[in-house]
Amino acid sequence: MAISTADRIEALRAIPLFSYLTPEELLAAQVLFEEVSCPKGEVICRVGDEGDTFYIVLSGELEVWGGGSPSKLLSRLGPKDFFGELALVVGGPRSATIKVSRQARLLSLSKDSFNRFFLKNAKVLEYFSRVICQRLAATASSQKVESRSSQVIGVIAQPYLQGSSLVAASVACLLDQWTDQEVLWVEVGKGRQGAVRLSLQPDRILSRIRQPEGLPAKLDIEVSDDEDMVAQADRLSALVTALCQRFDYVVLDLGSEPESMTRTVGAYADVAIQVVDTPSGAAPSSRGLRTFEVLNLFNRGTRRVPNNSCEPFVLPKDPNLPAELSPFALGERIARAPRSVAGVPLHRLVRKILGRTLGLALGGGAAFGLAHLGALKVFEEHGLPIDLLAGCSMGSMVAIGYAAGLPVSQLESMADDLGTKSKLLNLVRRDSTLTQPGFLTGDTIIETISPFLEDRQTFRHLRIPCRAVATDIETGERVSIGTGRLDEAFRASSSVPIVMAPVRRGNRILVDGAVCDPVPAEVLREMGADIIVAINVVPPMKKGVEGLPSRIYRRLNLFNPLAYLGQSIDLPNLFDIAMSSMQTLQHELGNFKAISADVRINPDLSDFTWIEFYRNRELIAKGHESAELAVPAIKKALARTDV
């Protein structure tokens, strides 16, 4: 998209370097420049290259990198900046590498033209000398370059798929709500009534921005198919550059039409969100564009996938989002309802853009695992997000139930109902076996708990991404389960050796995940969590604390004459020895496995035993108490951003 002579002169006049030239000199100088369009990621010049061209930035953004090892970001260049003068005036090779970080338009001037025109102007040379000294000083300085002050997010959709406007509006409203920075939502498309044309100059377009009170700013842009793809991208890139001078976040709703906008999103955006019908699993492009995929199940034919990772973001049908509401109104509603059907994935999406997704690792531990319910209550009371869940053994049951949408109150009621001594004894009686390698088959657990999940039976039906962790007893490997039936997943994860028969899954024989990974913080990292909170509920052993089976055994052993002959009357039984050994190992291994977590929580449960499900209310209270103490550390971790 070539600019006119008048526009070129105007561009030169706006640059301080050319303020020394008369109108006649400007007219003569402008014909010496060539216009260059540079896509994101292109390297204009490298350290050591021959310095034979001078450049002026019309639009876009470029990064200046030093030639040390490792390479150091020295500065960023934007409109009205220039580079290349050092090699032309002083001579020698390029002293820095210049890389395009946002699609740019440049004016270039050859060395011959530079020497013929500018070397004759003493004021220009004086200005050059001052700039050269400043840049040499900046290169020698160790001062850190500030991170980019603005971020551009482009939302696009595959042809005929709906949802881009809903996603864009939600992203804009959430950024406005969370960051306390200036946010602009831009709708771009064809035939938009009352919208401002993209062909206008950026300053005229900026005058049409609307600023509703308490909401992100809004701008409607109309594009046409009259210009080619490169020209459209250049115009939008120039506009984005102007918008970034005023706004910290620019959210572009590009939809699927025209194609020239969606295909060139990487030229002017830092983040691309794509509404697709099938996840591609594509990695971010080599030019630094971060790409996220959204599966909108409202669209017919969209493939439903297991919800077991941070990405893709599965957007279910939400009956609380009526079609008659505008995208802006829907975005406001989603921003106010983080736990709504559509709110859960969209809130997670924005936290992922900000580098703040939170994963919760729930460790195993039989009855100890009921303390997780108290921790979940604290997260809800303080409005702390739970974007991802991974659980082991009893922690997998809690994690899967919560991820499936069961409220904590219902999980507590289940613990009340199933935790009585009579229910426990009846479960053991019904589930006992002599034909399998374990005291219990585990079938009764599935029969008892599965009905609570109702129609949410597989990982495809989860609201929050979740995985259950088991151990391959033949290889010792950790097995992260994120597909298939939910009850089969937590059944495998809870197969305590000796107590419960192992589970065959494919070509693996699975037992309790606590054997190799009692607190699966690393699994959350693999799932895509940015921040991890790990809860190890298994306490160290405490002398004098004895469970119900041990007390019953000791009383019965008083009537066993063989116990007196073997001098074992005061010794614990074989089953107790095995479980106490596992508790000691699981406590230590759990703390080690949670070492990579940002926050670790260890409820004080040393006065309880693994079998005391009937003390569920006390265990839940202990979990609540320990999680409450960790809230400041969790909030501090959430306040950071790594992008």
Side-chain angles (χ1 to χ4, degrees):
M1 181 183 65
I3 60 176
S4 66
T5 299
D7 290 339
R8 184 175 296 204
I9 292 175
E10 189 63 32
L12 293 177
R13 183 181 288 116
I15 299 172
L17 168 64
F18 300 103
S19 62
Y20 302 104
L21 301 182
T22 65
E24 293 75 18
E25 289 174 326
L26 275 175
L27 182 61
Q30 61 88 20
V31 298
L32 302 176
F33 287 87
E34 293 184 10
E35 190 175 343
V36 183
S37 181
C38 305
K40 183 198 293 187
E42 181 175 330
V43 176
I44 306 300
C45 61
R46 299 182 184 276
V47 172
D49 288 352
E50 181 183 356
D52 58 1
T53 310
F54 169 68
Y55 294 95
I56 298 170
V57 183
L58 294 178
S59 66
E61 182 184 80
L62 301 94
E63 295 174 340
V64 183
W65 292 85
S69 181
S71 185
K72 175 185 174 184
L73 180 61
L74 301 177
S75 64
R76 288 189 170 87
L77 303 176
K80 301 183 183 180
D81 287 330
F82 54 87
F83 61 95
E85 75 291 335
L86 183 61
L88 292 183
V89 175
V90 180
R94 298 288 191 189
S95 60
T97 295
I98 310 294
K99 184 178 180 180
V100 180
S101 54
R102 183 169 289 139
Q103 177 163 315
R105 283 192 304 138
L106 312 175
L107 289 178
S108 67
L109 184 70
S110 69
K111 185 173 183 178
D112 290 341
S113 297
F114 179 89
N115 292 339
R116 187 170 64 252
F117 190 88
F118 290 100
L119 288 182
K120 299 177 182 179
N121 192 311
K123 290 185 178 180
V124 170
L125 287 178
E126 180 185 350
Y127 184 83
F128 267 140
S129 299
R130 188 162 63 250
V131 171
I132 289 171
C133 290
Q134 292 171 351
R135 290 189 177 173
L136 288 174
T139 302
S141 172
S142 60
Q143 184 177 1
K144 183 179 178 181
V145 178
E146 292 185 5
S147 60
R148 179 182 291 162
S149 60
S150 59
Q151 192 167 27
V152 179
I153 302 165
V155 185
I156 62 177
Q158 290 179 343
Y160 311 112
L161 294 185
Q162 299 183 51
S164 66
S165 293
L166 169 65
V167 172
S170 300
V171 169
C173 288
L174 286 168
L175 288 171
D176 185 65
Q177 176 179 300
W178 292 348
T179 64
D180 195 29
Q181 293 183 308
E182 294 296 322
V183 180
L184 174 67
W185 175 34
V186 184
E187 282 195 285
V188 183
K190 296 189 300 183
R192 302 189 61 82
Q193 188 173 2
V196 59
R197 295 191 306 276
L198 181 61
S199 58
L200 298 178
Q201 290 298 317
D203 57 341
R204 293 185 61 188
I205 296 177
L206 265 62
S207 66
R208 298 287 294 276
I209 293 175
R210 292 179 282 120
Q211 182 70 67
E213 185 176 354
L215 294 172
K218 182 72 166 60
L219 177 63
D220 290 331
I221 298 291
E222 182 182 7
V223 296
S224 67
D225 290 327
D226 296 339
E227 291 185 303
D228 61 31
M229 189 181 303
V230 174
Q232 293 267 25
D234 280 343
R235 286 194 182 278
L236 192 53
S237 181
L239 175 60
V240 165
T241 300
L243 294 173
C244 288
Q245 305 302 312
R246 178 172 165 184
F247 294 94
D248 301 291
Y249 292 95
V250 178
V251 182
L252 301 170
D253 176 12
L254 302 168
S256 59
E257 293 287 341
E259 187 181 4
S260 61
M261 294 289 97
T262 61
R263 290 185 59 185
T264 59
V265 64
Y268 36 79
D270 307 299
V271 176
I273 303 172
Q274 299 176 302
V275 178
V276 299
D277 55 9
T278 303
S280 66
S285 73
S286 59
R287 291 185 172 178
L289 180 69
R290 300 169 62 210
T291 303
F292 303 111
E293 293 182 330
V294 174
L295 295 171
N296 183 10
L297 299 183
F298 179 84
N299 294 311
R300 288 187 177 184
T302 295
R303 179 185 169 194
R304 191 159 195 162
V305 299
N307 201 3
N308 58 23
S309 293
C310 186
E311 304 174 51
F313 300 87
V314 181
L315 189 59
K317 296 179 181 179
D318 191 338
N320 295 315
L321 297 179
E324 61 270 16
L325 289 182
S326 69
F328 224 165
L330 294 174
E332 288 182 79
R333 181 170 293 194
I334 286 172
R336 293 194 303 266
R339 301 188 190 278
S340 63
V341 174
V344 169
L346 289 173
H347 279 244
R348 184 174 82 250
L349 169 61
V350 178
R351 274 191 290 273
K352 189 61 183 174
I353 292 172
L354 296 173
R356 300 176 189 172
T357 53
L358 188 144
L360 189 58
L362 304 184
F368 298 130
L370 294 174
H372 291 311
L373 298 179
L376 290 175
K377 290 174 68 175
V378 169
F379 272 73
E380 291 190 348
E381 289 166 1
H382 288 271
L384 299 173
I386 300 176
D387 296 305
L388 304 157
L389 286 158
C392 169
S393 196
M394 186 64 187
S396 73
M397 294 188 187
V398 175
I400 286 175
Y402 192 75
L406 299 182
V408 177
S409 58
Q410 185 175 350
L411 293 173
E412 286 182 307
S413 298
M414 291 169 59
D416 288 336
D417 183 53
L418 301 175
T420 62
K421 293 180 181 179
S422 59
K423 284 284 182 70
L424 288 173
L425 291 172
N426 185 49
L427 186 149
V428 170
R429 179 186 61 79
R430 291 171 52 203
D431 208 42
S432 58
T433 178
L434 296 175
T435 61
Q436 297 188 42
F439 293 123
L440 306 175
T441 66
D443 296 337
T444 306
I445 292 178
I446 290 181
E447 294 173 4
T448 304
I449 297 179
S450 290
F452 290 101
L453 296 173
E454 299 176 347
D455 59 344
R456 295 157 289 195
Q457 295 294 318
T458 73
F459 280 87
R460 294 185 177 187
H461 300 106
L462 292 179
R463 293 182 60 186
I464 302 173
C466 181
R467 293 189 191 181
V469 173
T471 303
D472 186 329
I473 197 59
E474 295 181 314
T475 65
E477 293 177 277
R478 180 184 67 203
V479 179
S480 176
I481 305 173
T483 60
R485 290 186 59 85
L486 299 174
D487 51 13
E488 292 176 357
F490 66 66
R491 164 70 180 84
S493 180
S494 307
S495 299
V496 180
I498 302 176
V499 177
M500 198 176 297
V503 171
R504 184 182 296 276
R505 183 180 171 91
N507 60 352
R508 294 181 180 272
I509 305 297
L510 302 181
V511 298
D512 196 322
V515 172
C516 68
D517 194 355
V519 185
E522 295 172 4
V523 172
L524 286 168
R525 197 74 70 188
E526 295 170 1
M527 293 169 65
D530 300 304
I531 300 163
I532 295 174
V533 177
I535 307 179
N536 184 8
V537 293
V538 176
M541 295 296 299
K542 184 176 182 180
K543 189 175 179 63
V545 177
E546 188 177 51
L548 179 62
S550 297
R551 292 198 297 271
I552 294 174
Y553 173 81
R554 287 186 185 280
R555 291 170 185 172
L556 293 176
N557 211 30
L558 294 173
F559 302 97
N560 180 11
L562 297 178
Y564 294 92
L565 293 175
Q567 297 182 344
S568 60
I569 189 68
D570 293 324
L571 296 179
N573 63 77
L574 179 62
F575 185 72
D576 234 22
I577 292 173
M579 295 305 295
S580 295
S581 299
M582 280 195 65
Q583 180 174 333
T584 300
L585 291 171
Q586 191 170 336
H587 170 73
E588 297 296 339
L589 181 59
N591 283 342
F592 175 76
K593 286 293 186 178
I595 200 168
S596 63
D598 298 271
V599 179
R600 192 183 78 197
I601 300 174
N602 288 93
D604 182 9
L605 306 180
S606 54
D607 289 329
F608 299 83
T609 64
W610 63 273
I611 194 65
E612 293 176 314
F613 288 93
Y614 45 85
R615 298 178 67 183
N616 57 295
R617 287 292 171 176
E618 297 173 74
L619 288 162
I620 293 171
K622 285 289 186 180
H624 188 283
E625 177 184 316
S626 60
E628 189 72 43
L629 294 174
V631 168
I634 297 171
K635 289 184 175 180
K636 182 178 179 180
L638 284 168
R640 81 179 193 209
T641 176
D642 293 334
V643 294

